Amino acid sequence: MEAVTITLNGVEVSGYAGTTILDLARESGVYIPTLCYDPNLASTGACRLCLVEDERSGALHASCVTPIAPGMTVNTNSPRVVEHRKKILELMLASHPDICLVCDKGNRCQLRKLAAEMGIGLVTLQRIPQNDVIEEVNPFIERDLSKCIMCGKCIRVDQELVVEGAIDYMDRGTMAKPATLNDMPLEKSECTFCGACVAICPTGALMEKDRIYTGTATNVVTTVCPYCGCGCTICLGIKDGKIIEARPAVDSPVNRGALCVRGNYGYDFINSPQRLRQPLIKVDGELQEATWEEALARVADGFGRIKNENKADALAVFGSSKCTNEENYLLQRFARGVLGTNNIDNGSRLYSAASRTGLGASIGYAGTTGSLDALERSKVIMVIGANPEISAPVVAYAIKRAVRFKGAELIVIDPRDTPLTQFASLWLRPGVGTDVALLNGLARVIIDEKRLDVEFVTRMTDNYAGWAKSLQNYTPGHVEKVTGISKKNLQAAARLLAGAEEASIVYGNGITQHVTGTGAVAAIANLAMLTGNTGRRGGIFALQRENNAHGACDMGALPGFLAGYQSVDDAQNRQRFEERWGCSLPAEAGLSALEMMEAAREGKVKGMLIMGENPVASFPQPALVKKALSSLDFLVVTDMFPTETVKFASVVLPAASFAEKEGTFTNFEGRVQRLHQALEPVGDSLPDVEVLFRLAEIMGSPMPYASHQEVMEEIEEMVPFYRHVAYADTDSMGMDWGDVESNSLGTRRLHKGLFPSGFGRFSPVEYTPPVDVSTDGYPFTLMVGSSRYHFGAGSRSSRSFRLSRFSPTAFLEINGVDAADLGIGDSDTVKVTSAQGELSTTAKVSKTLPQGLLFMPISFPDSPVYELFNTVLDPQAKAPALKSCAVRLERTAGDG
Amino acid sequence: MAKQKKAPRVNLKQIEKIITGYRGQKWPLIPMVEEIQEKVGYIPPESIPVIAGALGLFPSQVQAVITFYEQLYTEPRGKNIVRVCRGTACHVRGGKTILKLVKRHLGVDEGETTDDMEYTLETVACIGVCALAPNIMINKDAYGNMNPKKVARLFERSGKE
Ligand code: SF4
Ligand code: SF4
Ligand code: SF4
Ligand code: FES
Ligand code: FES
């Protein structure tokens, strides 16, 4: 590109043609005040505050929208510029209430800051009366449009960045204001309370509501959201040792100035009065407070005794997809090196094991193949079995941006109407559990119509012929019979996908949590390979539910693998770790999560350590889990809260929250990001790393790390694809994505279309009729999933003051016709019964569900939906089917 | 005269048909809403999501455009638009009383439409014939030197037509 040289405040500088004056000035370290400009949004030049003068022509330009031109002589601070700027600001202040001193925006208010900078005090212009605070009941956002300066940033961020479309201008002239459709309160609009508009509003017009602590932050700590697998970077504003607000990091490559309601408002669980502050020991059936010394001695004694009296395999360890990489790494070292067992697994077994197994076998790498950028660049995006708007909001933002602003076409495959369907050019609604047939059908059409990427398939893959033969039965006619998708739509989808220069496939728990999950994932990989979309172009995007599901597995919190997916039954692998740790390691693969519970029920496993998981709420058949846990001789749980699982513990160790510790999380893209400690742990609680250090020491096998840094260094050394990650850099934004592509991290991904093993492998997958859908006596198929305002098993979100207040109870969604047939009205109490169990909840008539399908959120500890589920395991992934089950329904009481 | 219900049922079918006519066109929003207004009399708020869906816009964006233009309405309007002037000249010569009288005659407030959909009452700032103040406009005609009698006659007369 051509370089253009201009004179900027007397100095010659050059930039690429097309660069704006503002961008070049910022690059050159010259300050120009702005109000309506934002690096993540298209510039509109609305406020004119960024005026500069071209001294040759005397013209005034809004620098944020004016590209540099050869020979420009820009003065950013000429007397004319200053005079104009002042006038603009005075006009804005004229219609602004004089209440800066009591406004909570405080020193984050750009308007006030600029006024101070320019020495504008009392405004002499006549005041223009303005609108007032809008009455709203939501606990998240407060709008006082009397402070609005009509910069339009909230509207642009809502439409361009998070693409929700909740607000736009309304009316004209002096009546104009940002408003929702029909000027309703936010809670009655499309607003998802992502908070992006609040973060970007330069004045106090949009403010965070119901803060527990008020005031102005004196310190900002940049860290990573603890909820979903997107791994947004959040900035926590701290004052007097308390978090007073959370804001999105503007420069994060993941979330770019946006978060979702959980990240923005849900962090307040750390202030919950229910936090565990002291270790607890069970004495005569009661948990009583104890010191760390007493508690740890008890743990060492308990595990030691069981190990001596039985074999080490009578012990089991359950790690957490919510804990850091370092915690999980040390936990597997503790399990293998100190306790001497491979009985270790982590919570992600329940929702992403199918991904690991299915993708591992096909493309040789157990995760997402590309970055969010690659997703947004795609020309066609297919979303199957995922509702990213809820489960991975930042992914949904990227998809919607691709559709709205980059001309991508979207195919949504989902029986439910999700927020993405309105963006889709094609929406297919297959029967629940028929995805494999559909995916095979798509592949068959692509092959029959010769639309496959022949070069890629020949050069980069294996077993094509064998697999193609296995598709013989999947004619469009047959597929239509099985899935309900017409031949026409099947072909249309296949043509779109195969015809795109770059296509991406996004899938989530709707795929992985069915019994046939592993097969369906392999079928997705087949389709991606067939069309040559495996990372060099497009890619496979496996959403992960929890913040560190990826990391927990990478770190070896798995029964069959040491850190870095190094198989435990390979002596060479073991030897590396044995040498590093100076101990011998067990050779036989251990028990997976559900197998551990079964072994506990059978009395084979007698002692268990659970770090940060709540299996009583997250596993199918809580009754069986409870039975397993109460059969144990000795159970140790580390957690932040007295969860349903904690009640069964012999010793409870209070854990620090994400804001109270250091470490790294790995997001769904495989990006390793660093946490920064913002607060001291509450009470006597400790980060799990510290707990493991102390425990290993008391048990006579100290782990010789002097600091967190050393743990990370060892991870870098022992896990090849974690080389060059977070601790090497000093800045807080995680590693540079450029490094990932150029350094050895590239070997774990499929960048430039390279498979780790050189070849991708097509694997035939047969469709088997689903067992987790309606049957005789149970005429409905119940699907379960996350809800926007809650998360996972709900142990944190139900303790978030604002999230739980906004959405306090569980509900059952039902199609209107089904509801009418059963005489069920909105808010009636209903009883849901499956072959396994029953529960009571409130009905909510919904427009998004087809007949025969019900939906219930999983994250409400008081309505444990998993009571209804069986423990049918996906044979390959050893994960239970937790997406759907067959139920019947009856109304038990009216809306009382 | 048969009393009609104030908010007539919206004929979404008719609106959908109008929308279909614009399929494939570039920037059809303004002509589309103008045609809807012309045929339906106004742009029913219920139709906004439908319009938005057809154009790949957000309902809030469609609303923004409609509320930006003075000539586009989201409420039903009467056959006749009555505008009472509240400019300075009319004001000092009793415009306020005239407005009160018109309100009483029509039985509606400013911005409202009579139940029989005959009249919509609005106020304007100076219609430019201050010499004849106080003034009223009905559709395109101005009526000057208004007084209570004239007001009564005006609405009786047009009411009978
Ligand atoms: S909170 Fe998010 S969704 Fe709601 S109006 Fe603001 S930007 Fe839009
Ligand atoms: S509410 Fe804030 S961001 Fe939105 S237009 Fe007003 S000042 Fe700008
Ligand atoms: S829950 Fe996920 S999308 Fe929401 S802020 Fe946290 S990481 Fe981002
Ligand atoms: S910042 Fe450039 S016009 Fe507002
Ligand atoms: S003030 Fe009424 S016409 Fe001028």
Side-chain angles (χ1 to χ4, degrees):
Chain A
M1 228 186 279
E2 219 178 305
V4 173
T5 304
I6 68 168
T7 313
L8 184 66
N9 292 351
V11 182
E12 285 212 341
V13 286
S14 20
Y16 290 121
T19 310
T20 62
I21 300 175
L22 179 66
D23 283 342
L24 186 60
R26 292 214 162 160
E27 264 170 44
S28 324
V30 172
Y31 170 72
I32 300 176
T34 57
L35 264 179
C36 71
Y37 166 83
D38 186 90
N40 289 314
L41 302 175
S43 296
T44 56
C47 76
R48 314 311 282 182
L49 207 77
C50 63
L51 285 181
V52 295
E53 181 171 357
D54 184 351
E55 289 180 326
R56 278 181 328 171
S57 59
L60 292 177
H61 297 293
S63 61
C64 69
V65 287
T66 312
I68 51 175
M72 268 183 175
T73 310
V74 172
N75 189 333
T76 63
N77 248 329
S78 71
R80 267 185 78 209
V81 165
V82 172
E83 187 196 332
H84 266 88
R85 253 184 223 152
K86 268 193 158 166
K87 197 157 285 156
I88 294 166
L89 213 56
E90 278 172 355
L91 277 169
M92 283 175 184
L93 286 165
S95 53
H96 196 86
D98 226 352
I99 49 169
C100 291
L101 281 181
V102 294
C103 175
D104 260 352
K105 200 83 169 193
N107 56 12
R108 278 187 302 134
C109 176
Q110 293 296 309
L111 188 62
R112 189 168 118 183
K113 183 172 146 257
L114 290 170
E117 261 173 38
M118 285 179 218
I120 299 174
L122 254 186
V123 176
T124 42
L125 291 163
Q126 204 205 326
R127 301 214 145 269
I128 301 164
Q130 288 284 326
N131 314 318
D132 232 342
V133 179
I134 299 171
E135 283 296 327
E136 287 177 299
V137 299
N138 77 76
F140 308 116
I141 296 177
E142 183 170 83
R143 296 186 288 165
D144 175 358
L145 296 181
S146 67
K147 297 176 187 166
C148 174
I149 55 167
M150 290 291 286
C151 68
K153 272 180 159 173
C154 54
I155 295 171
R156 282 146 63 206
V157 83
D158 173 69
Q159 297 187 357
E160 293 172 23
L161 197 68
V162 300
V163 209
E164 304 292 0
I167 49 175
D168 203 329
Y169 289 115
M170 186 169 187
D171 296 329
R172 60 193 163 271
T174 53
M175 293 300 292
K177 61 179 178 184
T180 62
L181 184 61
N182 301 323
D183 208 8
M184 292 303 237
L186 287 173
E187 57 270 10
K188 298 216 168 105
S189 75
E190 297 290 309
C191 177
T192 62
F193 299 103
C194 72
C197 54
V198 179
I200 209 168
C201 176
T203 73
L206 301 178
M207 299 271 291
E208 181 173 344
K209 205 172 166 186
D210 290 354
R211 304 206 289 188
I212 300 182
Y213 304 106
T214 51
T216 301
T218 48
N219 182 21
V220 174
V221 176
T222 302
T223 191
V224 183
C225 173
Y227 282 105
C228 86
C230 293
C232 294
T233 305
I234 56 179
C235 302
L236 299 175
I238 316 288
K239 185 190 163 213
D240 301 335
K242 306 264 193 263
I243 299 183
I244 59 167
E245 69 196 357
R247 258 185 297 154
V250 182
D251 47 359
S252 156
V254 177
N255 52 301
R256 305 200 220 158
L259 292 171
C260 77
V261 64
R262 298 185 291 250
N264 227 317
Y265 303 102
Y267 65 83
D268 58 4
F269 69 82
I270 59 176
N271 298 317
S272 162
Q274 290 184 39
R275 281 287 297 274
L276 294 170
R277 289 159 183 273
Q278 278 234 287
L280 305 172
I281 292 182
K282 196 165 265 173
V283 182
D284 301 330
E286 289 286 319
L287 285 169
Q288 294 183 356
E289 291 192 351
T291 64
W292 274 102
E293 288 69 29
E294 290 163 349
L296 291 175
R298 193 61 185 268
V299 175
D301 178 61
F303 285 151
R305 211 165 16 87
I306 294 172
K307 194 176 160 179
N308 288 337
E309 287 167 12
N310 308 271
K311 283 199 315 253
D313 286 339
L315 294 170
V317 173
F318 196 36
S320 173
S321 43
K322 298 189 272 288
C323 289
T324 64
N325 287 325
E326 295 69 25
E327 287 162 345
N328 278 294
Y329 182 84
L330 292 181
L331 188 71
Q332 59 111 26
R333 170 164 180 181
F334 180 77
R336 298 186 158 113
V338 180
L339 299 180
T341 177
N342 278 322
N343 291 340
I344 175 168
D345 204 350
N346 74 81
S348 75
R349 168 76 55 187
L350 301 172
Y351 52 85
S352 65
S355 260
R356 275 202 322 276
T357 324
L359 287 183
S362 309
I363 60 174
Y365 168 63
T368 290
T369 65
S371 64
L372 271 165
D373 274 348
L375 177 63
E376 199 170 331
R377 268 201 321 265
S378 304
K379 292 292 165 248
V380 168
I381 299 172
M382 180 169 120
V383 178
I384 177 165
N387 185 4
E389 184 76 26
I390 306 288
S391 62
V394 166
V395 174
Y397 303 157
I399 294 173
K400 292 186 291 183
R401 285 196 299 262
V403 173
R404 268 285 148 91
F405 305 110
K406 304 195 172 151
E409 300 219 56
L410 176 65
I411 308 169
V412 173
I413 302 181
D414 204 312
R416 288 175 74 204
D417 187 358
T418 70
L420 278 185
T421 50
Q422 53 169 312
F423 292 83
S425 6
L426 204 54
W427 172 25
L428 311 182
R429 305 180 87 169
V432 176
T434 62
D435 304 308
V436 169
L438 179 66
L439 291 160
N440 282 349
L442 289 169
R444 161 119 198 204
V445 172
I446 292 173
I447 293 173
D448 284 353
E449 299 189 356
K450 304 210 168 30
R451 292 173 193 269
L452 64 162
D453 186 334
V454 179
E455 197 200 327
F456 185 86
V457 169
T458 340
R459 289 188 36 209
M460 310 295 298
T461 67
D462 210 354
N463 196 34
Y464 170 71
W467 167 69
K469 224 162 104 204
S470 78
L471 299 175
Q472 229 160 21
N473 291 332
Y474 296 91
T475 58
H478 176 65
V479 171
E480 176 167 357
K481 233 180 282 152
V482 174
T483 64
I485 303 298
S486 73
K487 190 172 156 182
K488 195 177 117 238
N489 280 337
L490 184 75
Q491 283 167 340
R495 286 170 196 161
L496 259 181
L497 192 67
E501 209 178 298
E502 291 192 41
S504 291
I505 306 178
V506 179
Y507 71 88
N509 292 341
I511 289 287
T512 55
Q513 287 197 322
H514 283 294
V515 198
T516 51
T518 305
V521 171
I524 287 173
N526 289 339
L527 205 51
M529 288 188 287
L530 185 67
T531 51
N533 287 301
T534 54
R536 179 191 46 164
R537 306 178 337 209
I540 304 171
F541 293 82
L543 302 184
Q544 84 185 10
R545 179 182 290 164
E546 267 157 348
N547 55 328
N548 203 29
H550 220 304
C553 298
D554 291 349
M555 290 302 110
L558 294 171
F561 296 99
L562 288 148
Y565 304 103
Q566 307 181 50
S567 183
V568 285
D569 48 26
D570 180 326
Q572 254 181 342
N573 290 341
R574 282 202 311 279
Q575 200 191 340
R576 277 187 68 221
F577 285 90
E578 283 169 342
E579 278 168 11
R580 191 70 171 78
W581 295 343
C583 61
S584 70
L585 298 177
E588 218 167 285
L591 300 174
S592 70
L594 269 102
E595 291 168 337
M596 284 176 199
M597 292 299 167
E598 205 180 307
R601 272 201 315 277
E602 291 165 355
K604 290 186 196 140
V605 161
K606 296 184 186 309
M608 195 180 286
L609 168 61
I610 299 179
M611 179 173 89
E613 286 284 339
N614 183 8
V616 172
S618 62
F619 278 40
Q621 303 244 320
L624 287 182
V625 176
K626 287 181 189 163
K627 198 162 154 229
L629 296 182
S630 42
S631 316
L632 290 169
D633 288 350
F634 193 64
L635 171 65
V636 181
V637 180
T638 75
D639 207 305
M640 285 183 286
F641 295 111
T643 63
E644 297 71 16
T645 301
V646 159
K647 302 197 178 94
F648 295 85
S650 325
V651 179
V652 182
L653 305 174
S657 76
F658 79 104
E660 299 156 353
K661 63 188 178 189
E662 298 281 322
T664 54
F665 288 153
T666 305
N667 83 343
F668 87 102
E669 304 162 283
R671 195 187 294 265
V672 182
Q673 305 191 100
R674 192 167 167 183
L675 290 174
H676 289 266
Q677 184 174 354
L679 305 175
E680 287 305 316
V682 303
D684 279 348
S685 70
L686 286 176
D688 288 314
V689 162
E690 188 61 36
V691 176
L692 290 168
F693 283 164
R694 294 192 187 187
L695 201 52
E697 173 134 16
I698 295 189
M699 294 189 68
S701 323
M703 301 202 253
Y705 307 98
S707 65
H708 229 99
Q709 174 91 30
E710 285 188 23
V711 181
M712 194 65 208
E713 276 165 16
E714 181 175 316
I715 294 173
E716 290 189 10
E717 177 192 328
M718 303 305 284
V719 182
F721 52 79
Y722 269 65
R723 238 155 249 170
H724 309 286
V725 288
Y727 280 74
D729 72 17
T730 43
D731 87 57
S732 52
M733 298 303 304
M735 65 184 161
D736 180 357
W737 201 240
D739 283 351
V740 185
E741 304 210 16
S742 57
N743 281 325
S744 59
L745 266 164
T747 55
R748 76 183 301 206
R749 333 196 120 263
L750 307 179
H751 286 295
K752 302 178 185 76
L754 294 176
F755 295 107
S757 64
F759 281 99
R761 190 174 169 78
F762 284 102
S763 17
V765 185
E766 275 307 324
Y767 163 74
T768 45
V771 292
D772 38 12
V773 298
S774 55
T775 54
D776 289 347
Y778 301 100
F780 289 99
T781 301
L782 171 71
M783 290 181 82
V784 300
S786 319
S787 71
R788 189 186 309 281
Y789 302 100
H790 285 280
F791 201 73
S795 33
R796 288 169 300 172
S797 52
S798 68
R799 291 176 176 90
S800 156
F801 174 64
R802 288 171 292 196
L803 294 180
S804 59
R805 205 174 77 189
F806 193 61
S807 168
T809 51
F811 49 85
L812 176 90
E813 284 184 1
I814 178 169
N815 172 286
V817 177
D818 289 339
D821 282 353
L822 294 172
I824 294 172
D826 233 358
S827 309
D828 283 357
T829 307
V830 291
K831 191 168 87 179
V832 189
T833 313
S834 77
Q836 310 303 322
E838 59 174 54
L839 60 80
S840 252
T841 186
T842 313
K844 196 162 134 185
V845 176
S846 146
K847 291 195 194 97
T848 62
L849 286 171
Q851 271 176 265
L853 211 56
L854 306 171
F855 177 81
M856 227 183 130
I858 52 170
S859 312
F860 294 88
D862 297 337
S863 296
V865 280
Y866 288 151
E867 296 278 7
L868 304 172
F869 281 78
N870 196 346
T871 42
V872 187
L873 293 187
D874 175 322
Q876 288 156 299
K878 294 189 178 166
L882 284 180
K883 197 61 201 176
S884 65
C885 68
V887 298
R888 67 166 180 265
L889 193 63
E890 62 201 288
R891 175 171 177 275
T892 47
D895 177 9
Chain B
M1 183 184 300
K3 262 233 166 215
Q4 245 181 303
K5 264 261 147 278
K6 173 120 202 227
R9 268 229 323 278
V10 176
N11 186 348
L12 273 182
K13 279 261 151 55
Q14 179 192 4
I15 293 175
E16 274 162 18
K17 214 171 121 203
I18 300 175
I19 295 174
T20 328
Y22 287 84
R23 193 176 284 154
Q25 283 190 28
K26 256 196 163 173
W27 311 122
L29 177 57
I30 304 261
M32 181 192 288
V33 291
E34 276 178 331
E35 185 180 339
I36 292 173
Q37 175 156 307
E38 199 175 291
K39 299 211 168 124
V40 183
Y42 70 112
I43 306 156
E46 299 89 322
S47 70
I48 292 181
V50 187
I51 299 170
L55 299 182
L57 292 169
F58 293 117
S60 61
Q61 287 176 300
V62 173
Q63 169 179 277
V65 171
I66 295 173
T67 57
F68 183 81
Y69 291 101
E70 204 162 350
Q71 313 88 313
L72 297 177
Y73 309 102
T74 51
E75 267 171 32
R77 312 239 317 153
K79 278 193 208 119
N80 305 295
I81 311 298
V82 180
R83 295 192 176 89
V84 179
C85 178
R86 50 174 174 69
T88 322
C90 294
H91 182 80
V92 297
R93 291 170 68 178
K96 224 171 155 186
T97 317
I98 301 297
L99 178 59
K100 220 188 276 165
L101 285 172
V102 177
K103 281 185 188 172
R104 194 181 307 152
H105 269 282
L106 298 179
V108 296
D109 239 326
E110 255 182 86
E112 290 182 356
T113 301
T114 56
D115 285 352
D116 60 8
M117 303 305 287
E118 280 297 318
Y119 295 106
T120 295
L121 176 60
E122 289 179 351
T123 59
V124 286
C126 189
I127 50 184
V129 277
C130 307
L132 300 177
N135 289 305
I136 286 185
M137 273 186 94
I138 300 182
N139 301 328
K140 290 191 173 111
D141 309 319
Y143 299 82
N145 290 324
M146 294 306 287
N147 57 38
K149 251 200 202 138
K150 276 186 157 176
V151 171
R153 236 186 303 141
L154 204 52
F155 290 103
E156 263 164 33
R157 200 179 52 205
S158 16
K160 272 186 200 141
E161 276 171 3

